[in-house]
Amino acid sequence: MADITRRLGRRHLRGAPTAHIRHHRDGRLLHDGTGISFWFRALTAAISEIPVDDRELAMTFHARTADFQDVAVQATVTYRIGDPALAAARLDFSIDPGTGAWRGTPLEQLGTLLTETAQQHALAVLARTPLAAALVDGVAAVRERIADGLGAEPRLPATGIEVVAVRVMALRPEPEVERALRTPAREQIQQEADRATYERRAVAVERERAIAENELASQIELARREEQLVEQRGTNTRREAEEHAAADAVRAEAEAARSVRLAEAEAARTVKLGEAEAARAVTLARAEAEGVRETGEARAAAQAAWLRVHGEVDVATLHALTGTRLAENLPRIDSVTVSPDVLTGLLAKLGSPEGS
């Protein structure tokens, strides 16, 4: 819709880029174009606004097939006004100078024309097609027939209308018929699903059996390998025990030989030490005996000499020696007894001239 504003008794129209504006005054065309704007007087202006953008026309209608079954057709026709001047001459696209709104309903007229034309051609093709074939290939056939029919319709070019595209979304029978048609397909699909389920179960059972066999074979192989492992461990243990026993025997023989050698060496050393000790003891005994003999002889000789010396000296000298020996042993003499005879003799000796 055009944007119309009022200024000082005049009005200004600003068109959209997708709208073609035609401005007449007194039967003369003053402005003609897309997206234009201009000033005009409402009392003398006749303005038409023709949309030139692509428009979608959705349509739904019912048809009857060759086997007298009702179907619903859902389609969409895309069109545009290729000749705005021709469309404005054939349809009322005039707008109110005050509000910019269309005075009539030109787009509804175009929709009716297109819908009736498309419906006519769709009914013609479906009337010769059974329901089953229509549901299978009817969409493409109806679309081609509607596109060809609209392209060949003389009223559309005469109105300036161009058909851009035709789409048929669905051909649907009545709900009861649709359910009846779905039943065999559903049963077949269910059978296929059941068969697939059975096959899947069979495959699963077969796989489980194969898995069980593989597990059993694995267990058997594992048991066999465990038996081999036990045998090998026993062999290894026996071999290790034999090697240990042999090593112990060798070690015992070596220890025995070493002990024998040590014992023989100890015995030999003991014998040698015994012989040396015996020889040393004999030598020592001989030396001691010789020393005792010599000492005895020396003492005897000294005693003989002492006796000989004391035998040769007089009594007075003996008395003096006795006193000297007595003086030497005073610390060890607890008491001394001097007889009167000795004392008298000593005093006499001391008093005599010889003694002085």
Side-chain angles (χ1 to χ4, degrees):
M1 186 176 65
D3 184 12
I4 298 178
T5 57
R6 182 181 298 179
R7 294 290 186 275
L8 300 176
R10 300 187 66 187
R11 300 186 182 184
H12 183 270
L13 181 143
R14 183 177 59 186
T18 58
H20 189 94
I21 305 297
R22 291 176 62 84
H23 175 211
H24 293 79
R25 187 179 64 185
D26 296 333
R28 291 182 298 108
L29 182 62
L30 300 181
H31 299 92
D32 186 15
T34 302
I36 62 175
S37 61
F38 53 87
W39 293 92
F40 67 93
R41 293 183 179 276
L43 296 179
T44 60
I47 303 174
S48 299
E49 183 182 11
I50 304 95
V52 294
D53 56 339
D54 291 349
R55 292 183 173 265
E56 303 285 342
L57 176 62
M59 58 185 71
T60 300
F61 53 87
H62 292 272
R64 180 168 293 182
T65 61
D67 49 0
F68 304 102
Q69 298 295 328
D70 290 337
V71 293
V73 181
Q74 296 178 356
T76 300
V77 176
T78 303
Y79 71 95
R80 67 169 175 262
I81 300 176
D83 190 347
L86 185 57
R90 300 295 299 271
L91 299 174
D92 185 10
F93 284 96
S94 62
I95 61 175
D96 187 351
T99 61
W102 279 314
R103 296 179 183 273
T105 56
L107 296 181
E108 292 182 4
Q109 295 177 10
L110 283 178
T112 301
L113 175 61
L114 292 172
T115 301
E116 290 178 353
T117 304
Q119 183 175 0
Q120 175 184 356
H121 295 288
L123 293 176
V125 70
L126 290 174
R128 296 191 300 270
T129 306
L131 178 61
L135 294 178
V136 175
D137 300 324
V139 172
V142 171
R143 182 179 63 250
E144 293 177 0
R145 184 60 181 273
I146 292 176
D148 295 341
L150 292 177
E153 178 62 36
R155 294 178 56 191
L156 297 179
T159 314
I161 305 300
E162 296 178 359
V163 177
V164 178
V166 177
R167 298 188 301 275
V168 177
M169 277 71 73
L171 289 175
R172 306 195 57 165
E174 294 180 350
E176 295 81 3
V177 177
E178 187 174 5
R179 283 194 296 270
L181 293 174
R182 288 178 179 176
T183 300
R186 286 182 177 178
E187 292 180 355
Q188 184 177 0
I189 293 173
Q190 187 63 40
Q191 292 176 0
E192 294 292 336
D194 294 340
R195 182 166 58 254
T197 301
Y198 297 149
E199 291 178 356
R200 185 169 61 253
R201 290 179 180 176
V203 172
V205 171
E206 182 65 23
R207 289 180 179 176
E208 290 179 358
R209 184 184 63 79
I211 292 172
E213 291 180 355
N214 292 334
E215 290 179 352
L216 181 59
S218 299
Q219 292 177 359
I220 293 173
E221 181 65 20
L222 182 60
R224 185 178 63 81
R225 292 188 178 183
E226 287 180 353
E227 182 179 1
Q228 293 178 355
L229 180 60
V230 170
E231 293 179 357
Q232 186 64 35
R233 285 180 177 174
T235 303
N236 294 339
T237 303
R238 184 169 59 255
R239 185 179 301 170
E240 185 178 358
E242 292 175 355
E243 291 178 356
H244 287 173
D248 292 339
V250 172
R251 190 181 301 109
E253 291 179 358
E255 289 291 335
R258 190 170 65 86
S259 298
V260 170
R261 288 195 301 272
L262 290 176
E264 292 177 353
E266 185 67 22
R269 189 172 64 86
T270 303
V271 170
K272 290 180 180 181
L273 289 176
E275 293 177 353
E277 287 291 334
R280 189 168 64 85
V282 171
T283 304
L284 289 176
R286 290 177 179 177
E288 288 179 357
E290 185 67 23
V292 169
R293 186 181 60 80
E294 292 178 354
T295 302
E297 291 178 354
R299 287 179 179 177
Q303 187 70 27
W306 186 79
L307 290 177
R308 188 172 57 253
V309 170
H310 284 76
E312 293 178 356
V313 296
D314 55 3
V315 176
T317 303
L318 292 174
H319 288 167
L321 291 173
T322 302
T324 302
R325 297 295 300 271
L326 178 64
E328 291 177 356
N329 294 321
L330 281 178
R332 293 180 295 177
I333 297 175
D334 294 334
S335 62
V336 177
T337 303
V338 180
S339 66
D341 294 334
V342 174
L343 182 59
T344 300
L346 291 174
L347 292 176
K349 290 285 185 181
L350 291 174
S352 65
E354 295 176 358
S356 59

PDB file of all heavy atoms in Angstrom, residues 157-185:
ATOM      1  N   PRO A 157      -2.525 -13.868 -20.055  1.00  0.00           N
ATOM      2  CA  PRO A 157      -1.746 -12.835 -20.758  1.00  0.00           C
ATOM      3  C   PRO A 157      -2.579 -11.588 -21.073  1.00  0.00           C
ATOM      4  O   PRO A 157      -2.038 -10.477 -21.079  1.00  0.00           O
ATOM      5  CB  PRO A 157      -1.311 -13.531 -22.039  1.00  0.00           C
ATOM      6  CG  PRO A 157      -1.350 -14.986 -21.734  1.00  0.00           C
ATOM      7  CD  PRO A 157      -2.507 -15.154 -20.794  1.00  0.00           C
ATOM      8  N   ALA A 158      -3.864 -11.790 -21.303  1.00  0.00           N
ATOM      9  CA  ALA A 158      -4.717 -10.626 -21.594  1.00  0.00           C
ATOM     10  C   ALA A 158      -4.878  -9.739 -20.374  1.00  0.00           C
ATOM     11  O   ALA A 158      -5.179  -8.544 -20.492  1.00  0.00           O
ATOM     12  CB  ALA A 158      -6.074 -11.097 -22.092  1.00  0.00           C
ATOM     13  N   THR A 159      -4.661 -10.311 -19.169  1.00  0.00           N
ATOM     14  CA  THR A 159      -4.755  -9.528 -17.929  1.00  0.00           C
ATOM     15  C   THR A 159      -3.375  -9.063 -17.468  1.00  0.00           C
ATOM     16  O   THR A 159      -3.261  -8.356 -16.461  1.00  0.00           O
ATOM     17  CB  THR A 159      -5.431 -10.382 -16.841  1.00  0.00           C
ATOM     18  OG1 THR A 159      -6.594 -11.022 -17.381  1.00  0.00           O
ATOM     19  CG2 THR A 159      -5.890  -9.546 -15.669  1.00  0.00           C
ATOM     20  N   GLY A 160      -2.331  -9.461 -18.169  1.00  0.00           N
ATOM     21  CA  GLY A 160      -0.981  -9.068 -17.781  1.00  0.00           C
ATOM     22  C   GLY A 160      -0.377  -9.964 -16.710  1.00  0.00           C
ATOM     23  O   GLY A 160       0.583  -9.554 -16.040  1.00  0.00           O
ATOM     24  N   ILE A 161      -0.904 -11.200 -16.562  1.00  0.00           N
ATOM     25  CA  ILE A 161      -0.451 -12.104 -15.512  1.00  0.00           C
ATOM     26  C   ILE A 161       0.563 -13.088 -16.100  1.00  0.00           C
ATOM     27  O   ILE A 161       0.356 -13.647 -17.172  1.00  0.00           O
ATOM     28  CB  ILE A 161      -1.632 -12.864 -14.882  1.00  0.00           C
ATOM     29  CG1 ILE A 161      -2.688 -11.875 -14.378  1.00  0.00           C
ATOM     30  CG2 ILE A 161      -1.148 -13.761 -13.756  1.00  0.00           C
ATOM     31  CD1 ILE A 161      -2.188 -10.917 -13.343  1.00  0.00           C
ATOM     32  N   GLU A 162       1.650 -13.330 -15.364  1.00  0.00           N
ATOM     33  CA  GLU A 162       2.643 -14.324 -15.740  1.00  0.00           C
ATOM     34  C   GLU A 162       2.744 -15.370 -14.617  1.00  0.00           C
ATOM     35  O   GLU A 162       2.873 -15.015 -13.445  1.00  0.00           O
ATOM     36  CB  GLU A 162       4.021 -13.679 -15.947  1.00  0.00           C
ATOM     37  CG  GLU A 162       4.069 -12.681 -17.097  1.00  0.00           C
ATOM     38  CD  GLU A 162       5.433 -12.040 -17.225  1.00  0.00           C
ATOM     39  OE1 GLU A 162       6.329 -12.377 -16.392  1.00  0.00           O
ATOM     40  OE2 GLU A 162       5.625 -11.201 -18.115  1.00  0.00           O
ATOM     41  N   VAL A 163       2.663 -16.641 -14.996  1.00  0.00           N
ATOM     42  CA  VAL A 163       2.790 -17.729 -14.025  1.00  0.00           C
ATOM     43  C   VAL A 163       4.274 -18.093 -13.902  1.00  0.00           C
ATOM     44  O   VAL A 163       4.927 -18.446 -14.894  1.00  0.00           O
ATOM     45  CB  VAL A 163       1.947 -18.952 -14.447  1.00  0.00           C
ATOM     46  CG1 VAL A 163       2.161 -20.098 -13.460  1.00  0.00           C
ATOM     47  CG2 VAL A 163       0.474 -18.573 -14.530  1.00  0.00           C
ATOM     48  N   VAL A 164       4.787 -18.007 -12.683  1.00  0.00           N
ATOM     49  CA  VAL A 164       6.203 -18.279 -12.452  1.00  0.00           C
ATOM     50  C   VAL A 164       6.444 -19.760 -12.163  1.00  0.00           C
ATOM     51  O   VAL A 164       7.345 -20.378 -12.738  1.00  0.00           O
ATOM     52  CB  VAL A 164       6.723 -17.416 -11.285  1.00  0.00           C
ATOM     53  CG1 VAL A 164       8.193 -17.733 -10.993  1.00  0.00           C
ATOM     54  CG2 VAL A 164       6.546 -15.937 -11.596  1.00  0.00           C
ATOM     55  N   ALA A 165       5.634 -20.365 -11.304  1.00  0.00           N
ATOM     56  CA  ALA A 165       5.848 -21.763 -10.935  1.00  0.00           C
ATOM     57  C   ALA A 165       4.552 -22.346 -10.414  1.00  0.00           C
ATOM     58  O   ALA A 165       3.661 -21.619  -9.939  1.00  0.00           O
ATOM     59  CB  ALA A 165       6.943 -21.901  -9.879  1.00  0.00           C
ATOM     60  N   VAL A 166       4.469 -23.673 -10.519  1.00  0.00           N
ATOM     61  CA  VAL A 166       3.329 -24.418 -10.002  1.00  0.00           C
ATOM     62  C   VAL A 166       3.868 -25.555  -9.157  1.00  0.00           C
ATOM     63  O   VAL A 166       4.746 -26.311  -9.593  1.00  0.00           O
ATOM     64  CB  VAL A 166       2.435 -24.960 -11.133  1.00  0.00           C
ATOM     65  CG1 VAL A 166       1.305 -25.804 -10.551  1.00  0.00           C
ATOM     66  CG2 VAL A 166       1.871 -23.822 -11.975  1.00  0.00           C
ATOM     67  N   ARG A 167       3.337 -25.682  -7.931  1.00  0.00           N
ATOM     68  CA  ARG A 167       3.737 -26.778  -7.059  1.00  0.00           C
ATOM     69  C   ARG A 167       2.503 -27.471  -6.524  1.00  0.00           C
ATOM     70  O   ARG A 167       1.544 -26.805  -6.115  1.00  0.00           O
ATOM     71  CB  ARG A 167       4.572 -26.249  -5.891  1.00  0.00           C
ATOM     72  CG  ARG A 167       5.861 -25.572  -6.300  1.00  0.00           C
ATOM     73  CD  ARG A 167       6.713 -25.242  -5.084  1.00  0.00           C
ATOM     74  NE  ARG A 167       6.000 -24.371  -4.147  1.00  0.00           N
ATOM     75  CZ  ARG A 167       5.953 -23.048  -4.249  1.00  0.00           C
ATOM     76  NH1 ARG A 167       6.555 -22.427  -5.277  1.00  0.00           N
ATOM     77  NH2 ARG A 167       5.312 -22.329  -3.360  1.00  0.00           N
ATOM     78  N   VAL A 168       2.542 -28.799  -6.560  1.00  0.00           N
ATOM     79  CA  VAL A 168       1.475 -29.619  -5.987  1.00  0.00           C
ATOM     80  C   VAL A 168       2.077 -30.354  -4.804  1.00  0.00           C
ATOM     81  O   VAL A 168       2.985 -31.182  -4.974  1.00  0.00           O
ATOM     82  CB  VAL A 168       0.894 -30.598  -7.022  1.00  0.00           C
ATOM     83  CG1 VAL A 168      -0.159 -31.473  -6.372  1.00  0.00           C
ATOM     84  CG2 VAL A 168       0.300 -29.832  -8.196  1.00  0.00           C
ATOM     85  N   MET A 169       1.598 -30.056  -3.616  1.00  0.00           N
ATOM     86  CA  MET A 169       2.183 -30.646  -2.411  1.00  0.00           C
ATOM     87  C   MET A 169       1.643 -32.031  -2.114  1.00  0.00           C
ATOM     88  O   MET A 169       2.395 -32.900  -1.683  1.00  0.00           O
ATOM     89  CB  MET A 169       1.940 -29.737  -1.205  1.00  0.00           C
ATOM     90  CG  MET A 169       2.950 -28.607  -1.082  1.00  0.00           C
ATOM     91  SD  MET A 169       2.715 -27.345  -2.377  1.00  0.00           S
ATOM     92  CE  MET A 169       1.209 -26.578  -1.766  1.00  0.00           C
ATOM     93  N   ALA A 170       0.325 -32.261  -2.313  1.00  0.00           N
ATOM     94  CA  ALA A 170      -0.230 -33.549  -1.902  1.00  0.00           C
ATOM     95  C   ALA A 170      -1.533 -33.833  -2.628  1.00  0.00           C
ATOM     96  O   ALA A 170      -2.256 -32.917  -3.048  1.00  0.00           O
ATOM     97  CB  ALA A 170      -0.465 -33.561  -0.393  1.00  0.00           C
ATOM     98  N   LEU A 171      -1.773 -35.134  -2.782  1.00  0.00           N
ATOM     99  CA  LEU A 171      -3.066 -35.668  -3.210  1.00  0.00           C
ATOM    100  C   LEU A 171      -3.489 -36.647  -2.131  1.00  0.00           C
ATOM    101  O   LEU A 171      -2.871 -37.696  -1.956  1.00  0.00           O
ATOM    102  CB  LEU A 171      -2.959 -36.389  -4.559  1.00  0.00           C
ATOM    103  CG  LEU A 171      -2.726 -35.519  -5.798  1.00  0.00           C
ATOM    104  CD1 LEU A 171      -2.521 -36.396  -7.023  1.00  0.00           C
ATOM    105  CD2 LEU A 171      -3.919 -34.595  -6.027  1.00  0.00           C
ATOM    106  N   ARG A 172      -4.547 -36.311  -1.408  1.00  0.00           N
ATOM    107  CA  ARG A 172      -4.925 -37.128  -0.266  1.00  0.00           C
ATOM    108  C   ARG A 172      -6.360 -37.591  -0.416  1.00  0.00           C
ATOM    109  O   ARG A 172      -7.270 -36.783  -0.672  1.00  0.00           O
ATOM    110  CB  ARG A 172      -4.773 -36.352   1.032  1.00  0.00           C
ATOM    111  CG  ARG A 172      -3.399 -35.767   1.212  1.00  0.00           C
ATOM    112  CD  ARG A 172      -3.158 -35.341   2.621  1.00  0.00           C
ATOM    113  NE  ARG A 172      -3.334 -36.446   3.550  1.00  0.00           N
ATOM    114  CZ  ARG A 172      -2.901 -36.419   4.813  1.00  0.00           C
ATOM    115  NH1 ARG A 172      -2.273 -35.346   5.255  1.00  0.00           N
ATOM    116  NH2 ARG A 172      -3.112 -37.436   5.598  1.00  0.00           N
ATOM    117  N   PRO A 173      -6.592 -38.908  -0.244  1.00  0.00           N
ATOM    118  CA  PRO A 173      -7.975 -39.400  -0.293  1.00  0.00           C
ATOM    119  C   PRO A 173      -8.691 -39.103   1.015  1.00  0.00           C
ATOM    120  O   PRO A 173      -8.125 -38.492   1.932  1.00  0.00           O
ATOM    121  CB  PRO A 173      -7.779 -40.903  -0.513  1.00  0.00           C
ATOM    122  CG  PRO A 173      -6.471 -41.198   0.121  1.00  0.00           C
ATOM    123  CD  PRO A 173      -5.627 -39.986  -0.076  1.00  0.00           C
ATOM    124  N   GLU A 174      -9.929 -39.570   1.105  1.00  0.00           N
ATOM    125  CA  GLU A 174     -10.681 -39.387   2.338  1.00  0.00           C
ATOM    126  C   GLU A 174     -10.045 -40.208   3.464  1.00  0.00           C
ATOM    127  O   GLU A 174      -9.367 -41.212   3.201  1.00  0.00           O
ATOM    128  CB  GLU A 174     -12.139 -39.810   2.130  1.00  0.00           C
ATOM    129  CG  GLU A 174     -12.892 -38.908   1.157  1.00  0.00           C
ATOM    130  CD  GLU A 174     -14.332 -39.349   0.976  1.00  0.00           C
ATOM    131  OE1 GLU A 174     -14.662 -40.447   1.466  1.00  0.00           O
ATOM    132  OE2 GLU A 174     -15.099 -38.607   0.359  1.00  0.00           O
ATOM    133  N   PRO A 175     -10.249 -39.806   4.707  1.00  0.00           N
ATOM    134  CA  PRO A 175      -9.580 -40.505   5.819  1.00  0.00           C
ATOM    135  C   PRO A 175      -9.880 -42.006   5.856  1.00  0.00           C
ATOM    136  O   PRO A 175      -8.968 -42.812   6.111  1.00  0.00           O
ATOM    137  CB  PRO A 175     -10.122 -39.787   7.058  1.00  0.00           C
ATOM    138  CG  PRO A 175     -10.487 -38.419   6.581  1.00  0.00           C
ATOM    139  CD  PRO A 175     -10.984 -38.607   5.172  1.00  0.00           C
ATOM    140  N   GLU A 176     -11.168 -42.401   5.617  1.00  0.00           N
ATOM    141  CA  GLU A 176     -11.485 -43.827   5.660  1.00  0.00           C
ATOM    142  C   GLU A 176     -10.761 -44.581   4.561  1.00  0.00           C
ATOM    143  O   GLU A 176     -10.187 -45.665   4.779  1.00  0.00           O
ATOM    144  CB  GLU A 176     -12.993 -44.044   5.530  1.00  0.00           C
ATOM    145  CG  GLU A 176     -13.813 -43.494   6.682  1.00  0.00           C
ATOM    146  CD  GLU A 176     -14.058 -41.997   6.545  1.00  0.00           C
ATOM    147  OE1 GLU A 176     -13.622 -41.433   5.514  1.00  0.00           O
ATOM    148  OE2 GLU A 176     -14.649 -41.400   7.464  1.00  0.00           O
ATOM    149  N   VAL A 177     -10.763 -43.996   3.348  1.00  0.00           N
ATOM    150  CA  VAL A 177     -10.076 -44.649   2.237  1.00  0.00           C
ATOM    151  C   VAL A 177      -8.573 -44.685   2.490  1.00  0.00           C
ATOM    152  O   VAL A 177      -7.893 -45.685   2.202  1.00  0.00           O
ATOM    153  CB  VAL A 177     -10.404 -43.915   0.920  1.00  0.00           C
ATOM    154  CG1 VAL A 177      -9.630 -44.532  -0.238  1.00  0.00           C
ATOM    155  CG2 VAL A 177     -11.891 -43.946   0.652  1.00  0.00           C
ATOM    156  N   GLU A 178      -8.064 -43.638   3.053  1.00  0.00           N
ATOM    157  CA  GLU A 178      -6.628 -43.593   3.316  1.00  0.00           C
ATOM    158  C   GLU A 178      -6.241 -44.656   4.337  1.00  0.00           C
ATOM    159  O   GLU A 178      -5.214 -45.343   4.177  1.00  0.00           O
ATOM    160  CB  GLU A 178      -6.240 -42.205   3.826  1.00  0.00           C
ATOM    161  CG  GLU A 178      -4.743 -42.006   3.979  1.00  0.00           C
ATOM    162  CD  GLU A 178      -4.404 -40.572   4.337  1.00  0.00           C
ATOM    163  OE1 GLU A 178      -5.340 -39.773   4.558  1.00  0.00           O
ATOM    164  OE2 GLU A 178      -3.204 -40.257   4.400  1.00  0.00           O
ATOM    165  N   ARG A 179      -7.091 -44.849   5.376  1.00  0.00           N
ATOM    166  CA  ARG A 179      -6.801 -45.889   6.354  1.00  0.00           C
ATOM    167  C   ARG A 179      -6.889 -47.268   5.720  1.00  0.00           C
ATOM    168  O   ARG A 179      -6.064 -48.148   6.000  1.00  0.00           O
ATOM    169  CB  ARG A 179      -7.764 -45.773   7.531  1.00  0.00           C
ATOM    170  CG  ARG A 179      -7.434 -44.646   8.489  1.00  0.00           C
ATOM    171  CD  ARG A 179      -8.185 -44.786   9.782  1.00  0.00           C
ATOM    172  NE  ARG A 179      -9.636 -44.670   9.570  1.00  0.00           N
ATOM    173  CZ  ARG A 179     -10.313 -43.526   9.621  1.00  0.00           C
ATOM    174  NH1 ARG A 179      -9.666 -42.387   9.876  1.00  0.00           N
ATOM    175  NH2 ARG A 179     -11.613 -43.497   9.424  1.00  0.00           N
ATOM    176  N   ALA A 180      -7.903 -47.448   4.842  1.00  0.00           N
ATOM    177  CA  ALA A 180      -8.026 -48.744   4.166  1.00  0.00           C
ATOM    178  C   ALA A 180      -6.843 -49.011   3.246  1.00  0.00           C
ATOM    179  O   ALA A 180      -6.365 -50.147   3.143  1.00  0.00           O
ATOM    180  CB  ALA A 180      -9.333 -48.784   3.369  1.00  0.00           C
ATOM    181  N   LEU A 181      -6.354 -47.960   2.589  1.00  0.00           N
ATOM    182  CA  LEU A 181      -5.189 -48.144   1.730  1.00  0.00           C
ATOM    183  C   LEU A 181      -3.910 -48.374   2.536  1.00  0.00           C
ATOM    184  O   LEU A 181      -2.999 -49.059   2.070  1.00  0.00           O
ATOM    185  CB  LEU A 181      -5.016 -46.919   0.822  1.00  0.00           C
ATOM    186  CG  LEU A 181      -6.113 -46.702  -0.227  1.00  0.00           C
ATOM    187  CD1 LEU A 181      -5.886 -45.382  -0.933  1.00  0.00           C
ATOM    188  CD2 LEU A 181      -6.135 -47.845  -1.217  1.00  0.00           C
ATOM    189  N   ARG A 182      -3.874 -47.821   3.708  1.00  0.00           N
ATOM    190  CA  ARG A 182      -2.682 -47.983   4.522  1.00  0.00           C
ATOM    191  C   ARG A 182      -2.578 -49.369   5.153  1.00  0.00           C
ATOM    192  O   ARG A 182      -1.483 -49.832   5.479  1.00  0.00           O
ATOM    193  CB  ARG A 182      -2.652 -46.930   5.637  1.00  0.00           C
ATOM    194  CG  ARG A 182      -2.355 -45.534   5.157  1.00  0.00           C
ATOM    195  CD  ARG A 182      -2.386 -44.568   6.323  1.00  0.00           C
ATOM    196  NE  ARG A 182      -2.067 -43.206   5.901  1.00  0.00           N
ATOM    197  CZ  ARG A 182      -2.094 -42.157   6.707  1.00  0.00           C
ATOM    198  NH1 ARG A 182      -2.420 -42.326   7.994  1.00  0.00           N
ATOM    199  NH2 ARG A 182      -1.796 -40.951   6.257  1.00  0.00           N
ATOM    200  N   THR A 183      -3.759 -50.019   5.307  1.00  0.00           N
ATOM    201  CA  THR A 183      -3.752 -51.304   6.017  1.00  0.00           C
ATOM    202  C   THR A 183      -2.865 -52.344   5.347  1.00  0.00           C
ATOM    203  O   THR A 183      -2.024 -52.964   6.009  1.00  0.00           O
ATOM    204  CB  THR A 183      -5.190 -51.819   6.158  1.00  0.00           C
ATOM    205  OG1 THR A 183      -5.961 -50.864   6.899  1.00  0.00           O
ATOM    206  CG2 THR A 183      -5.207 -53.152   6.878  1.00  0.00           C
ATOM    207  N   PRO A 184      -3.023 -52.615   4.010  1.00  0.00           N
ATOM    208  CA  PRO A 184      -2.120 -53.619   3.400  1.00  0.00           C
ATOM    209  C   PRO A 184      -0.653 -53.223   3.503  1.00  0.00           C
ATOM    210  O   PRO A 184       0.207 -54.073   3.773  1.00  0.00           O
ATOM    211  CB  PRO A 184      -2.588 -53.659   1.938  1.00  0.00           C
ATOM    212  CG  PRO A 184      -3.975 -53.148   1.959  1.00  0.00           C
ATOM    213  CD  PRO A 184      -4.018 -52.125   3.032  1.00  0.00           C
ATOM    214  N   ALA A 185      -0.414 -51.942   3.290  1.00  0.00           N
ATOM    215  CA  ALA A 185       0.980 -51.508   3.386  1.00  0.00           C
ATOM    216  C   ALA A 185       1.505 -51.674   4.807  1.00  0.00           C
ATOM    217  O   ALA A 185       2.648 -52.113   5.016  1.00  0.00           O
ATOM    218  CB  ALA A 185       1.101 -50.056   2.941  1.00  0.00           C
TER     219      ALA A 185
END
